[in-house]
């Protein structure tokens, strides 16, 4: 039968029985046709869970095909040999079987003699990478032969396959940076031709191979990924998100594409993919209400089938970015139910992160705090990495401070003093030094003397205030050193961009809880956000702004 007609008929067959009946009707077929038949059988019989019907491997027609390939491997064309190898690996044929050893040794012999084209080399590389323990020596040979080919003429598939092979060989300590530099340059003009799968694989390879210097290529791939978001599989989307995180790339259109895609796909998306989307939003400080609202609904529906790490991955970003979705009451009711039934299944540090994120948005885990503050739980925290480092003790302390200030009716165990920090660290949202300097200049213009305000003041309950001003009973400003006759304390929170979600006026969770607690400690909190003072041109305008902000009911202080 003519090959073109053969493949047309073969590709219309949808079961292995139809394929075997079709093959039985033929008297003769080429090795290309026979290997194509094996590939079609693998397409029909293998899914994400493996081989659907192992009985296929015992079929007489299938065994006859395998017999031919095993004993006539030296007579096969390169295409027939490599297509058969790929199909049999997909069908999970034992790599130690005589059939597979025959095909592998023949492929390696032709590789050694330089008889394989660039396309053949990629096909062999792809097959080897599917094996559990591919021969790195053979993969290196493939890379070395590929270097001898005209790289400018490589197809996107060939480019993608070399990246995948380099991932494995570089892990073994082999150095190919010169080849990678050439490959990165050749890939750049082909970016617009890349399929979602190829784009995802190449981005993943650039991460694994630490190609931080390939800025132009990474930028082009990230921009192009925007078009592919609706078509990416879960695994491919995770690769793309990891690349955005690893390379620190930000693309507003990519976030917008996610905002369209995630709500539509949330109920079918793998939980690990949802966690990666939330990690992306959290680390980039992107408060995307469409995404967060969809994830909240997804959690309410699917929480019972999530792992403990996935539960934390869904919920923690809500606290970090200080956002309560419309379904908040149902969301946290579901979380409480899950914690009640699975509390002991959580790793201690995961549990602490989760409960800490809840208090940031005024969701108080009072039923679980007696267990968290118990010596047993604290010892478990200490015993597991990272132990009781400053971040962990700060989270414990914030839980303690929250129930003390916001839940005075709580009568359970308290956090022992030895686990409490003296001051909360502010690594992510420490004060914007430039902004603080401008505000202090304006205050000096307003109050005339530096003695009337203090900066970076420590308070009870471990918070530091950007600027403190003290007033007496009549509203006159007192020197900050004075401790008597203090009637009011004003805490100025000089909030730079790093205290807000990206492109937003929404405070981050840790800053929101700080300002809430300062109010409960008796301070009058005055927020000085960056977006209100950015355009103030000089000290006098800043002083006028501060006058209205701090002393709205008095006149003439700045004159």
């Amino acid at each position: 039968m003519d090959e073109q007609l053969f493949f047309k008929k073969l590709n219309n067959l949808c079961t292995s029985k139809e394929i075997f009946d079709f093959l039985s009707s033929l008297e003769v077929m080429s090795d290309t046709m026979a290997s194509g038949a094996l590939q079609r059988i693998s397409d029909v019989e293998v899914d994400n869970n493996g081989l659907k019907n192992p009985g296929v491997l015992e079929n007489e027609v299938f065994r006859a095909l395998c017999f031919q390939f095993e004993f006539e491997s030296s007579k096969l064309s390169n295409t027939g040999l490599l297509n058969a190898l790929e199909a049999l690996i997909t069908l999970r044929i034992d790599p130690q079987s005589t059939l597979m050893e025959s095909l592998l040794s023949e492929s390696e012999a032709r590789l050694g003699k330089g008889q394989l084209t660039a396309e053949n080399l990629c096909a062999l590389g792809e097959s080897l990478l599917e094996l559990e323990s591919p021969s790195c020596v053979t993969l290196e040979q493939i890379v070395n032969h590929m270097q001898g080919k005209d790289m400018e003429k490589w197809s996107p598939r060939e480019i993608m396959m070399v990246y995948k092979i380099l991932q494995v060989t570089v892990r073994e300590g082999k150095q190919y940076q010169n080849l990678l530099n050439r490959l990165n340059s050749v890939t750049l003009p082909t970016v617009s031709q890349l399929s979602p799968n190829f784009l995802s694989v190449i981005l993943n390879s650039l991460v694994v191979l630490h190609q931080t210097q390939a800025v132009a290529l990474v930028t082009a791939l990230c921009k192009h990924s925007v078009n592919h978001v609706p078509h990416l599989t879960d695994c491919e989307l995770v690769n793309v998100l990891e690349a955005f995180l690893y390379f620190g790339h930000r693309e507003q259109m990519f976030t917008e594409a996610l905002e369209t895609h995630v709500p539509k796909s949330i109920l079918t998306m793998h939980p690990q993919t949802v966690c990666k989307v939330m990690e992306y939003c959290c680390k980039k400080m992107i408060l995307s209400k469409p995404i967060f609202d969809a994830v909240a609904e997804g959690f309410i529906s699917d929480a019972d089938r999530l792992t403990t790490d996935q539960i934390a991955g869904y919920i923690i970003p809500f606290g970090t970015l200080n956002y309560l979705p419309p379904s908040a009451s149902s969301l946290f009711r579901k979380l409480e139910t899950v914690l009640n039934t699975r509390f002991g299944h959580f790793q201690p540090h995961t549990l602490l992160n989760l409960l800490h994120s809840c208090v940031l948005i005024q969701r108080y885990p009072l039923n679980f705090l007696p267990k968290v503050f118990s010596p047993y739980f604290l010892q478990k925290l200490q015993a597991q990495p990272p132990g009781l480092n400053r971040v962990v003790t700060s989270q414990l302390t914030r839980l303690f401070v929250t129930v003390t200030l916001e839940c005075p009716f709580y009568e359970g165990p308290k956090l022992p003093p030895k686990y409490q920090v003296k001051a909360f660290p502010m690594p992510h949202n420490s004060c914007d030094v430039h902004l603080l300097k401008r505000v202090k200049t304006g205050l000096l213009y307003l109050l005339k003397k530096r003695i009337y305000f203090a900066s970076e003041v420590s308070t009870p309950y471990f918070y530091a205030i950007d600027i403190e001003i003290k007033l007496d009973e009549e509203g006159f400003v007192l020197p900050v050193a004075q401790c008597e006759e203090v009637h009011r304390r004003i805490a100025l929170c000089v909030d730079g961009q790093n205290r807000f979600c990206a492109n937003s006026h929404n405070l981050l969770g840790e800053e929101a809880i700080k300002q809430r607690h300062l109010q409960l400690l008796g301070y009058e909190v005055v927020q000085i956000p960056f977006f209100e003072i950015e355009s103030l041109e000089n000290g006098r305008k800043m002083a006028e702004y501060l006058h209205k902000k701090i002393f709205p009911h008095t006149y003439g202080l700045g004159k």
Side-chain angles (χ1 to χ4, degrees):
M1 182 182 286
D2 171 69
E3 279 196 9
Q4 192 172 356
L5 178 60
F6 170 84
F7 281 108
K8 183 178 179 181
K9 288 192 173 185
L10 179 68
N11 291 330
N12 284 326
L13 303 177
C14 299
T15 67
S16 53
K17 183 181 184 308
E18 289 176 349
I19 296 168
F20 291 138
D21 289 345
F22 173 55
L23 296 178
S24 299
S25 69
L26 303 175
E27 291 184 15
V28 180
M29 58 181 150
S30 67
D31 65 341
T32 309
M33 293 159 72
S35 64
L38 287 178
Q39 285 186 310
R40 185 62 188 154
I41 292 165
S42 72
D43 290 342
V44 167
E45 289 294 340
V46 178
D47 59 21
N48 292 334
N49 298 316
L51 188 60
K52 290 188 274 190
N53 176 20
V56 167
L57 306 184
E58 302 303 320
N59 180 277
E60 286 184 12
V61 177
F62 181 80
R63 289 168 69 104
L65 283 174
C66 291
F67 185 87
Q68 294 280 118
F69 280 109
E70 180 178 346
F71 292 101
E72 297 185 8
S73 59
S74 61
K75 299 177 183 176
L76 300 172
S77 66
N78 286 344
T79 301
L81 172 68
L82 296 170
N83 285 352
L85 181 63
E86 179 190 3
L88 293 168
I89 289 173
T90 304
L91 287 163
R92 313 292 197 271
I93 303 298
D94 181 5
Q96 307 301 321
S97 66
T98 54
L99 166 63
M100 294 298 285
E101 286 184 348
S102 173
L103 295 178
L104 284 167
S105 62
E106 180 63 29
S107 301
E108 288 168 7
R110 296 187 192 187
L111 172 65
K113 294 173 187 174
Q115 294 175 348
L116 302 181
T117 65
E119 186 178 355
N120 296 152
L121 290 167
C122 285
L124 177 58
E126 195 164 12
S127 295
L128 292 175
L129 289 173
E130 290 299 316
L131 297 174
E132 280 188 19
S133 302
S135 164
C136 282
V137 174
T138 308
L139 289 173
E140 283 175 50
Q141 277 186 283
I142 292 173
V143 171
N144 291 335
H145 281 287
M146 287 296 287
Q147 288 189 78
K149 308 291 182 183
D150 187 352
M151 201 179 284
E152 304 289 337
K153 295 180 181 176
W154 286 2
S155 68
R157 177 170 177 263
E158 288 159 358
I159 289 171
M160 179 271 295
M161 189 48 56
V162 174
Y163 274 115
K164 282 182 77 171
I165 294 171
L166 286 174
Q167 273 185 248
V168 177
T169 54
V170 169
R171 278 197 208 108
E172 298 295 313
K174 304 297 177 184
Q175 297 301 315
Y176 287 106
Q177 191 55 54
N178 289 338
L179 172 60
L180 275 166
N181 290 342
R182 288 172 58 207
L183 188 57
N184 293 342
S185 297
V186 166
T187 306
L188 185 57
T190 71
V191 166
S192 61
Q193 305 166 36
L194 297 176
S195 67
N197 176 252
F198 289 0
L199 177 134
S200 158
V201 167
I202 292 171
L203 274 174
N204 179 243
S205 296
L206 293 172
V207 170
V208 173
L209 297 166
H210 309 299
Q211 295 300 290
T212 50
Q213 80 293 341
V215 178
L217 176 58
V218 169
T219 302
L221 288 167
C222 288
K223 282 182 178 296
H224 188 55
S225 69
V226 172
N227 305 319
H228 287 319
V229 167
H231 314 295
L232 293 169
T233 65
D234 279 0
C235 183
E236 290 163 358
L237 180 56
V238 167
N239 283 346
V240 172
L241 289 165
E242 284 179 343
F244 269 88
L245 289 168
Y246 180 80
F247 293 109
H249 192 77
R250 186 184 293 275
E251 187 72 49
Q252 178 60 28
M253 289 177 68
F254 179 77
T255 303
E256 290 170 5
L258 282 179
E259 289 178 337
T260 302
H261 176 64
V262 172
K264 290 178 182 175
S265 313
I266 191 69
L267 296 178
T268 56
M269 197 176 272
H270 191 282
Q272 211 55 43
T273 309
V274 178
C275 288
K276 186 58 68 175
V277 170
M278 292 300 272
E279 181 189 350
Y280 166 81
C281 290
C282 198
K283 288 188 174 177
K284 298 280 188 184
M285 302 300 179
I286 296 169
L287 175 54
S288 166
K289 292 181 181 180
I291 292 174
F292 277 56
D293 292 350
V295 169
E297 294 293 342
F299 183 85
I300 294 164
S301 302
D302 298 336
D304 295 326
R305 70 184 181 94
L306 302 180
T307 67
T308 53
D309 283 344
Q310 288 166 353
I311 290 167
Y314 274 56
I315 299 297
I316 288 173
F318 285 92
T320 304
L321 301 190
N322 184 30
Y323 178 65
L324 285 171
S327 59
S329 57
S330 300
L331 174 67
F332 287 96
R333 223 176 10 252
K334 186 67 178 179
L335 177 61
E336 186 170 14
T337 302
V338 170
L339 285 172
N340 274 320
T341 55
R342 298 168 66 184
F343 187 90
H345 299 169
F346 283 83
Q347 290 297 314
H349 288 282
T350 304
L351 185 65
L352 178 60
N353 281 330
L354 179 58
L355 298 183
H356 174 260
S357 73
C358 290
V359 300
L360 296 180
I361 43 179
Q362 296 177 280
R363 291 298 181 267
Y364 310 112
L366 298 181
N367 294 340
F368 309 105
L369 288 183
K371 294 179 181 178
V372 172
F373 291 154
S374 70
Y376 172 70
F377 185 83
L378 294 170
Q379 285 166 11
K380 282 177 71 178
L381 274 177
Q382 191 160 13
Q384 294 185 10
L388 289 172
N389 65 13
R390 188 160 171 76
V391 173
V392 173
T393 51
S394 295
Q395 289 181 331
L396 285 168
T397 305
R398 192 172 275 112
L399 282 176
F400 163 67
V401 171
T402 300
V403 293
T404 303
L405 293 176
E406 300 188 52
C407 309
F409 49 85
Y410 171 75
E411 295 179 350
K414 301 288 195 290
L415 181 67
K418 69 176 183 177
Y419 296 106
Q420 298 174 20
V421 294
K422 293 180 180 177
F424 288 125
M426 290 293 184
H428 300 301
N429 51 348
S430 55
C431 192
D432 182 321
V433 178
H434 175 67
L435 212 58
L436 183 63
K437 186 177 178 182
R438 290 186 61 206
V439 171
K440 290 196 309 196
T441 301
L443 278 175
L444 195 56
Y445 194 103
L446 180 67
L447 302 177
K448 305 305 181 189
K449 290 185 180 179
R450 185 66 177 79
I451 61 168
Y452 291 119
F453 61 92
S455 56
E456 298 179 87
V457 180
S458 296
T459 67
Y461 293 111
F462 324 105
Y463 290 108
I465 295 174
D466 297 330
I467 295 174
E468 183 183 35
I469 298 172
K470 296 177 181 178
L471 306 178
D472 66 13
E473 193 168 356
E474 295 179 11
F476 290 105
V477 179
L478 298 171
V480 286
Q482 185 171 325
C483 296
E484 300 82 24
E485 300 179 1
V486 178
H487 186 67
R488 293 163 58 199
R489 293 174 184 266
I490 296 175
L492 296 192
C493 294
V494 183
D495 295 330
Q497 281 184 315
N498 57 343
R499 291 184 180 175
F500 292 88
C501 299
N503 304 317
S504 166
H505 295 173
N506 194 77
L507 277 175
L508 296 173
E510 288 193 3
E511 187 60 27
I513 198 173
K514 170 188 166 181
Q515 296 186 17
R516 201 163 70 236
H517 286 176
L518 287 175
Q519 286 180 322
L520 291 169
L521 287 167
Y523 286 90
E524 294 178 30
V525 174
V526 177
Q527 192 183 10
I528 311 292
F530 74 95
F531 50 84
E532 288 184 0
I533 59 177
E534 274 180 327
S535 60
L536 301 179
E537 297 165 0
N538 52 46
R540 179 170 184 81
K541 286 190 180 296
M542 177 68 80
E544 290 171 356
Y545 165 84
L546 292 170
H547 181 192
K548 290 175 186 174
K549 196 85 176 180
I550 305 168
F551 309 108
H553 305 301
T554 60
Y555 301 92
L557 267 170
K559 294 179 183 176

